[in-house]
């Protein structure tokens, strides 16, 4: 019993771990002679209490695995924070660089139920915050479902074109050519995609203006938050992504009219409160673990057949978006969009969180640091030395693993639940989230 509890506690609350069968052996390797020494340690899945090696699923979706999604959210928080205040390989001088928090919305595809401040919705009612009618069309028969799905499918392309226009606009305002700009300044950003209740994707982004070497170099004297804000507005207004021509109708896509840009650490948040780097990082990280299923009540996994929808209790608006994506996915001229594969995502097939290379650290680096810390803790628990002695030897690892299944047995589920793991009960949001 203690052995199986230790193995399950190592999952950190993951409810759908990957089961692997195989073995792992560590040997000393003499780097001078190439001679392999006797085995130092051997791990065999058959000898583990669960009969398999259990590995966390790592799913970022809250609806699929709350524990792994919480880890992803915290990693995203620290990734965003490092690009705002420094740390984890990013110099603290980035706090002096011009930085803004921008939200890019989708255009309108038809009037929907909403909460316009203190005014009534167009339907004549005041909607409660949890009213399921929010985001649904006032007249579904006149709502442009085709454009809504195609917008999601082209949102990633639109963002890429925006970044190209943004560099052009900054170069123009600095009196530089596009070729000269990388020698004087660099754009660094991190963004996440969020679904609105109506099922349309929009983007939240931290955009930073650096020197030519990124966060490690000071931006030029002309760089300012005002110049960056002005360039973002101009670039967003000029960015257009060409779409397909369907049944004689030409589709083109642009951002919506609502563009919100706020200077980080500027007094432009609600009630004049400063928009801090911590608030921005927490806000972005929150949406990194949410997909279309969170906002619209749609699916969190792919469909194999559209007939599966008949047995699901989906909101009518979400189901119609999925069926529209499935129908468009049957067209030969749209096969490059892979709309059937991404029908559960309402057509959006891009990454939920992306960043430029020089913005800050990477999720891979954060995961490697956590794995190394866990390895050292395990070594300390075994009474081993944590720092290797200076020698000509290194460790050779020989491993062979095969997939053996997913999930826990009923007994393992009961034991895991008895550990009473809650992903947010012991970790506050923010700097102390690790």
């Amino acid at each position: 019993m203690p052995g199986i509890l230790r193995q399950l506690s190592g999952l950190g609350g993951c409810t759908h771990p990957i089961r692997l069968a195989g073995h792992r052996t560590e040997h000393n390797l003499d780097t001078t002679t190439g001679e392999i020494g006797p085995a130092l340690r051997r791990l065999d899945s058959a000898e583990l209490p669960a009969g398999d090696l259990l590995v966390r699923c790592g799913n970022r979706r809250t609806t699929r695995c709350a524990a792994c999604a919480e880890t992803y959210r915290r990693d995203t928080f620290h990734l965003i924070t490092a690009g705002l205040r420094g740390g984890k390989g990013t110099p603290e001088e980035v706090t002096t660089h011009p930085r803004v928090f921008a939200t890019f919305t989708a255009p309108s595809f038809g009037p929907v139920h909403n909460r316009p401040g203190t005014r009534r919705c167009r339907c004549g009612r005041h909607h409660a915050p949890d009213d399921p009618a929010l985001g649904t069309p006032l007249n579904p028969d006149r709502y442009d479902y085709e454009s809504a799905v195609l917008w999601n499918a082209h949102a990633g392309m639109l963002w890429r074109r925006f970044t190209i226009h943004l560099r052009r606009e900054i170069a123009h305002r600095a009196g530089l050519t596009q070729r000269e700009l990388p020698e004087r300044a660099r754009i660094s950003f991190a963004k996440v995609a969020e679904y609105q209740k109506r099922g349309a994707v929009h983007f939240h982004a931290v955009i930073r203006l650096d020197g030519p070497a990124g966060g490690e170099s000071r931006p030029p004297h002309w760089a300012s938050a005002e110049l960056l804000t002005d360039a973002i507005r101009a670039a967003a207004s000029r960015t257009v992504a060409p779409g397909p021509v369907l049944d004689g109708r030409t589709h083109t896509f642009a951002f919506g009219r609502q563009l919100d840009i706020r200077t980080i650490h500027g007094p432009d948040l609600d009630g004049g409160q400063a928009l801090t780097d911590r608030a921005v990082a927490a806000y972005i990280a929150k949406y990194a673990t949410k997909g279309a299923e969170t906002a619209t009540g749609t699916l969190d996994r792919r469909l194999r057949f559209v007939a599966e929808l008949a047995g699901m209790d989906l909101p009518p608006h979400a189901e119609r978006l999925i069926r529209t994506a499935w129908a468009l996915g049957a067209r030969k001229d749209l096969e490059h969009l892979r709309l059937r594969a991404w029908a559960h995502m309402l057509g959006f097939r891009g990454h939920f969180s992306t960043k430029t290379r020089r913005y800050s650290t990477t999720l891979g680096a954060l995961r490697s640091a956590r794995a190394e810390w866990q390895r050292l803790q395990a070594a300390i628990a075994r009474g081993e030395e944590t720092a290797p002695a200076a020698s000509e030897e290194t460790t050779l690892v020989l491993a062979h693993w095969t997939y053996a299944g997913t999930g826990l047995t009923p007994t393992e589920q009961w034991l895991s639940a008895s550990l009473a793991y809650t992903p947010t009960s012991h970790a506050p949001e923010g700097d102390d989230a690790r």
Side-chain angles (χ1 to χ4, degrees):
M1 182 66 71
I4 188 64
L5 289 176
R6 281 195 299 270
Q7 190 174 0
L8 293 175
S9 64
L11 296 174
C14 177
T15 54
H16 299 284
I18 308 300
R19 308 185 76 97
L20 300 176
H23 58 83
R24 180 181 187 272
T25 309
E26 296 181 10
H27 299 265
N28 274 335
L29 174 65
D30 192 310
T31 56
T32 303
T33 64
E35 181 180 356
I36 300 177
L40 298 175
R41 278 183 296 272
R42 178 178 175 83
L43 173 67
D44 193 320
S45 61
E47 299 174 358
L48 294 174
D52 294 306
L53 178 67
L54 303 181
V55 180
R56 296 182 63 157
C57 67
N59 199 301
R60 66 161 193 86
R61 295 175 183 269
T62 304
T63 56
R64 296 288 292 276
C65 182
C68 290
E70 177 63 12
T71 300
Y72 187 92
R73 185 194 67 81
R74 296 179 191 177
D75 284 349
T76 302
F77 175 88
H78 286 279
L79 183 149
I80 299 297
T81 302
L84 291 172
R85 63 170 62 169
K88 304 188 186 304
T90 304
E92 295 182 359
E93 286 72 19
V94 295
T95 58
T96 64
H97 295 194
R99 303 163 300 160
V100 300
F101 178 54
T103 298
F104 303 80
T105 60
S108 174
F109 307 110
V112 298
H113 295 276
N114 60 6
R115 303 181 69 226
T118 58
R119 296 179 288 114
R120 293 180 181 270
C121 174
R122 291 186 182 184
C123 68
R125 295 193 299 122
H126 283 292
H127 294 287
D130 57 349
D131 190 336
L134 288 174
T136 61
L138 270 68
N139 186 346
D141 293 334
R142 300 186 63 182
Y143 192 80
D144 194 350
Y145 282 94
E146 182 178 278
S147 292
V149 169
L150 291 175
W151 155 264
N152 287 340
H154 289 82
M157 178 195 298
L158 191 67
W159 174 263
R160 182 178 62 83
R161 286 173 173 256
F162 161 75
T163 60
I164 295 172
H165 280 287
L166 179 58
R167 293 181 177 92
R168 292 174 180 172
E169 294 294 337
I170 290 177
H172 173 70
R173 283 157 177 74
L176 304 171
T177 65
Q178 296 181 47
R179 182 172 295 181
E180 292 173 333
L181 181 62
E183 301 174 359
R184 307 289 183 85
R186 182 181 296 272
I187 305 297
S188 299
F189 68 81
K191 74 165 178 66
V192 294
E194 179 201 356
Y195 280 89
Q196 296 173 300
K197 287 184 177 297
R198 57 179 172 144
V201 166
H202 67 192
F203 296 119
H204 301 290
V206 173
I207 304 177
R208 194 180 70 209
L209 193 51
D210 300 328
E216 299 177 356
S217 57
R218 296 181 61 181
H221 65 89
W222 48 260
S224 66
E226 292 75 16
L227 181 144
L228 181 57
T229 298
D230 186 54
I232 291 172
R233 291 192 183 280
S237 65
R238 296 177 182 177
T239 302
V240 176
V245 179
L246 302 181
D247 303 324
R249 179 188 178 189
T250 301
H251 290 271
T252 56
F253 303 100
F255 289 117
R257 290 178 296 176
Q258 294 180 338
L259 173 62
D260 184 43
I261 307 174
R262 304 181 183 184
T263 302
I264 298 175
H265 282 300
D268 52 6
L269 198 61
D270 295 339
Q273 182 183 358
L275 182 61
T276 65
D277 46 21
R278 176 169 177 160
V280 170
Y283 189 81
I284 290 181
K286 175 177 67 173
Y287 289 108
T289 61
K290 297 180 179 180
E293 71 282 354
T294 305
T296 65
T298 183
L299 308 175
D300 60 1
R301 63 193 72 217
R302 290 184 176 181
L303 284 172
R304 292 179 299 172
F305 309 100
V306 72
E308 296 177 48
L309 295 176
M312 301 177 182
D313 186 21
L314 296 179
H317 179 59
E319 181 175 348
R320 190 160 177 177
L321 285 168
I322 294 174
R323 290 186 180 276
T324 301
W326 192 271
L328 291 173
R331 299 180 63 116
K332 285 291 184 181
D333 52 346
L334 297 180
E335 60 182 358
H336 64 286
L337 299 178
R338 303 185 62 223
L339 290 173
R340 287 196 168 182
W342 298 101
H344 66 297
M345 298 293 290
L346 312 182
F348 180 69
R349 66 188 192 283
H351 292 287
F352 265 80
S353 60
T354 59
K355 74 175 190 68
T356 54
R357 181 175 299 178
R358 295 178 184 268
Y359 174 80
S360 69
T361 185
T362 64
L363 291 175
L366 294 175
R367 291 164 183 159
S368 297
R370 181 167 54 250
E372 178 65 14
W373 183 86
Q374 292 173 342
R375 185 191 67 80
L376 292 176
Q377 295 302 305
I380 292 174
R382 294 194 299 265
E384 301 175 0
E385 293 288 340
T386 58
S391 68
E392 296 297 325
E393 293 186 341
T394 187
T395 302
L396 174 67
V397 178
L398 301 176
H400 176 73
W401 300 103
T402 58
Y403 175 74
T406 303
L408 301 171
T409 66
T411 301
E412 291 166 349
Q413 291 176 9
W414 184 85
L415 289 173
S416 181
S418 71
L419 297 174
Y421 176 86
T422 54
T424 57
S425 62
H426 62 282
E429 185 175 291
D431 294 336
D432 302 323
R434 282 193 183 282

